[in-house]
Amino acid sequence: MDIEWPDGRCVLCSCEGRSTRKGSLSKEHLIPESIGGVLTSHFLCAPCNSTLGQYEADLKRDPAVRLVIGNLRDQLPELFWSISQGQEFVAQSERGPAKGTYKQGRFRVSGSKQPDGSLILQTEEAQVALEKMLQREGLSSSQVREALRRFDEAPENTRGTVAPGFDVAKWTVTGVDPALDARRLIVRFDGGEERLQGAGIAVLKIAYEYLALHLGAAIFGNVFSPIRVALARNDQSLCPYRVEWKRGPKPAPFHGLVVEKRPPYLVIQVRLFGELVYRVHFPHLIPGEGFTRCKYTHDLTSGEEVFEEA
């Protein structure tokens, strides 16, 4: 769904004339396309779109997002694989954990050298490395072939010798979980106060852009200057607006946006995958008469979108 932007200025830098005959504003996904967002509006100039695009894709690396899409893997397999590609996972085995990534739907262990000098490699890569090491040791061709045969026939989860001084073990992967060492969107301090961190500025971006669809030219008011500066500089500490995080009842294959009816000041709710709920508070903004609060939902399984009065 593409919602028409009635003004001729970029909502981030206020550049004039980009949606008139002089030029055109570029298409912006309010909810990042990297996590399945399809709601768009042409209200960013190309430079600002590039600026925001540099960090909003990081949303998919947030631990909460990675966990919730993992729970929706059966319902949203294509989106799961799209989000997972190139991201770090941790494989479990009898030996212990090993980091790796998915490529073309297959988990591959990342090569690494251990403190004891041993190597962790994908099986086919280990075979190639073993052959090169044996050749460097001066073994004959027949000895190398015999060692590689023993490697091929080695039972899983058992350490064995394939040549003098060369032990191998083929560990069976029993499970693969997302690596959750990225920073979360929200950190909670003692006393319940919350602050954005990591890719959390993407939540501010979503809320600000959704509010722009409601306010039109009023979004260029000075009251929004701090959020524009924070977005342009990718520094959430510059934004005074509070973002509250809470967890929904369970993961569900939909995204949602809504201007809440309560409290009386403006609160934008950003809901991702049903379960992740972020409430951006604008306590100094009291909507006047005639202000229409709208809600948007996107069913990620059917592709159906609804934009209506809340």
Side-chain angles (χ1 to χ4, degrees), residues 113-118:
K113 188 172 184 178
Q114 303 303 295
D116 62 2
S118 63

Side-chain angles (χ1 to χ4, degrees), residues 2 8 14 50 52 55 63 66 74 78 80 107 121 134 163-164 169 179 197 234 239 263 270 274 289 308:
D2 187 79
S14 305
S50 178
L52 297 184
Y55 61 81
R66 296 194 65 189
D74 292 339
E78 292 184 6
F80 169 80
F107 178 78
L121 296 168
L134 293 171
Q197 68 169 23
N234 192 14
C239 182
V270 179
E289 291 186 17
E308 61 187 4

